[in-house]
């Protein structure tokens, strides 16, 4: 995949190969202080239990990798999941949020860095 070819999926990776892949149209990302990443999911009822169930498997502080559109793994720690809320304006839409903290102490191997990388946080 070339650097201009960013995929449409977000992949969350738990140890032992337990991955969860979801179309990015259902995922919003907010970056907060102290390298906190809030992944906000707006999903139909058919995906609600799947998303919630995946993140309920994590313990606080457990490592998790996130690959956004095939750009490479972001090393994080799991910080928690919000309760599932039903969107009162949409018939079959639910909202939940998974909070992760990016591991800024990770120092990637030279071959993992992109050509123009100046500590972009995605490697």
């Amino acid at each position: 995949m070339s650097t201009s070819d960013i995929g449409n999926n977000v992949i969350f990776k738990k140890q032992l190969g337990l991955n969860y892949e979801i179309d990015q149209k259902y995922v919003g990302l907010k970056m907060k202080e102290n390298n906190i990443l809030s992944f906000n999911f707006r999903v139909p009822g058919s995906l609600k239990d799947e998303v919630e169930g995946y993140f309920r498997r994590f313990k606080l502080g457990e490592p998790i990798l996130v690959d956004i559109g095939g750009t490479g793994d972001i090393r994080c720690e799991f910080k928690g999941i919000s309760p599932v809320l039903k969107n009162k304006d949409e018939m079959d839409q639910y909202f939940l949020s998974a909070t992760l903290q990016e591991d800024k102490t990770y120092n990637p191997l030279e071959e993992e860095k992109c050509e123009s990388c100046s500590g972009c946080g995605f490697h």
Side-chain angles (χ1 to χ4, degrees):
M1 181 179 289
S2 73
T3 56
S4 63
D5 294 336
I6 296 177
N8 292 326
N9 292 336
V10 179
I11 305 171
F12 297 90
K13 302 174 183 179
K14 186 174 168 54
Q15 292 176 342
L16 304 175
L18 299 172
N19 298 344
Y20 184 70
E21 188 169 346
I22 188 167
D23 192 306
Q24 69 181 355
K25 72 181 179 183
Y26 298 121
V27 185
L29 173 62
K30 287 187 181 179
M31 186 133 193
K32 301 179 179 181
E33 290 183 32
N34 298 321
N35 305 320
I36 298 292
L37 303 172
S38 178
F39 287 88
N40 303 309
F41 298 88
R42 289 191 189 282
V43 296
S46 61
L47 292 177
K48 172 184 65 94
D49 292 339
E50 200 174 279
V51 173
E52 181 184 25
Y54 180 77
F55 287 103
R56 292 264 178 236
R57 292 182 181 135
F58 284 88
K59 295 182 175 120
L60 290 178
E62 186 175 343
I64 181 172
L65 300 174
V66 183
D67 182 353
I68 301 170
T71 58
D73 290 336
I74 303 169
R75 295 177 187 272
C76 300
E77 286 184 6
F78 181 75
K79 294 297 181 185
I81 185 170
S82 73
V84 176
L85 301 174
K86 184 166 183 356
N87 186 340
K88 60 185 172 189
D89 298 328
E90 295 286 330
M91 182 64 113
D92 187 40
Q93 188 178 57
Y94 296 83
F95 174 81
L96 66 139
S97 180
T99 304
L100 311 178
Q101 185 170 26
E102 187 177 1
D103 181 3
K104 287 292 196 175
T105 62
Y106 172 69
N107 191 9
L109 299 172
E110 195 61 38
E111 61 269 12
E112 291 178 326
K113 295 181 183 177
C114 62
E115 298 168 8
S116 62
C117 187
S118 58
C120 66
F122 289 102
H123 303 99

